[in-house]
Amino acid sequence: MIKLVELEVKCFTLKYTLECGQCFRWDYIEQEDVYIGVIHDRVIKIWQKANMIYVESNNEENLKNVIQEYFDLYKDYFILESKISKIDTNIYESLKHSSGIRILRQPLVEIIISYIISANNNIKRISKSVNLISQRYGDRISFDGKDYFLFPTLEQLKSVTIEDFLSTGVGFRARYIKNTVEKLIDNSQILEKLKDATTEQARQILLEFQGVGTKVADCILLFSIGRSEVFPVDVWVKRIMEKLYFKKNTSMEEILAYAKEHFREDAGIVQQHLFYNVREGNI
DNA sequence: TGCCAGGCCTTCC
DNA sequence: GGAAGGCATGGC
């Protein structure tokens, strides 16, 4: 049974939000101009026309709230964007190409593992691996005559070996994933603790996982638990920060200090606009 | 075809 | 404690 939810939205661009590199499992279906993906335990088909979004799912229960939570629709991005557009002209210009990006609130376990996979990797291959892990170990859901797969639970990942992970194309990160799954199962409190902790406390907890350094930790903090003040710096963000603000090769410490001072509590969303636009060749 | 990728770990000084 | 090298492997 397919149910539909309609929502009026402000300052939300579905395309930018799903294609800006923060998520790895949404497919664009060109013929229908829709996106299909999985949020937690349900399949979601979503599309946008002007300021309306339309949602279908295999599971109607609480669907509207799930969508609002996932796409951060409770937050007023109109106010947020007008605020950051005043920081400097780089951000003002950048926003012209990417207004409506929302920072998603994605499932924590999926994001921890996805971003461990992201290290020294490319987005296509990250997607491929995360999808393979879901297909092999997650629950199958039929929707619209097709099969979709949930990201596996920790219980489902428990018996997956390093060799199994290797065969999903994650390379040297296989042992980090295995180790992280074990750690999460052994410390069942840790996920709740992460959500309740201060950002700095949460970062320290994440840094204890193998395969999680400062950049991956900040991605988890930003793309899953809404810590909007963090500023993940990968090779793309480093390059564009050097180009726009420093005009020379610059250390990570200096870039982070600059972001903290100038972008402050909104560094995360600024970072995502820069990341999207530098990759699109807009800036 | 060789370089690059949403970096991190280990080793060595 | 900081720098350098190694790492799996597909994408382009």
Side-chain angles (χ1 to χ4, degrees), chain A residues 107-131:
Chain A
L108 190 46
V109 172
E110 175 176 342
I111 284 303
I112 291 173
I113 292 173
S114 297
Y115 277 91
I116 287 175
I117 295 171
S118 80
N120 198 29
N121 208 340
N122 61 66
I123 291 180
K124 276 253 168 84
R125 201 159 75 103
I126 300 163
S127 292
K128 202 175 209 175
S129 292
V130 178
N131 278 322

Side-chain angles (χ1 to χ4, degrees), chain A residues 5-23:
Chain A
V5 162
E6 296 184 16
L7 270 174
E8 188 174 350
V9 289
K10 193 169 78 166
C11 203
F12 175 51
T13 309
L14 182 66
K15 177 184 168 65
Y16 299 156
T17 299
L18 293 181
E19 294 185 7
C20 71
Q22 60 181 322
C23 49

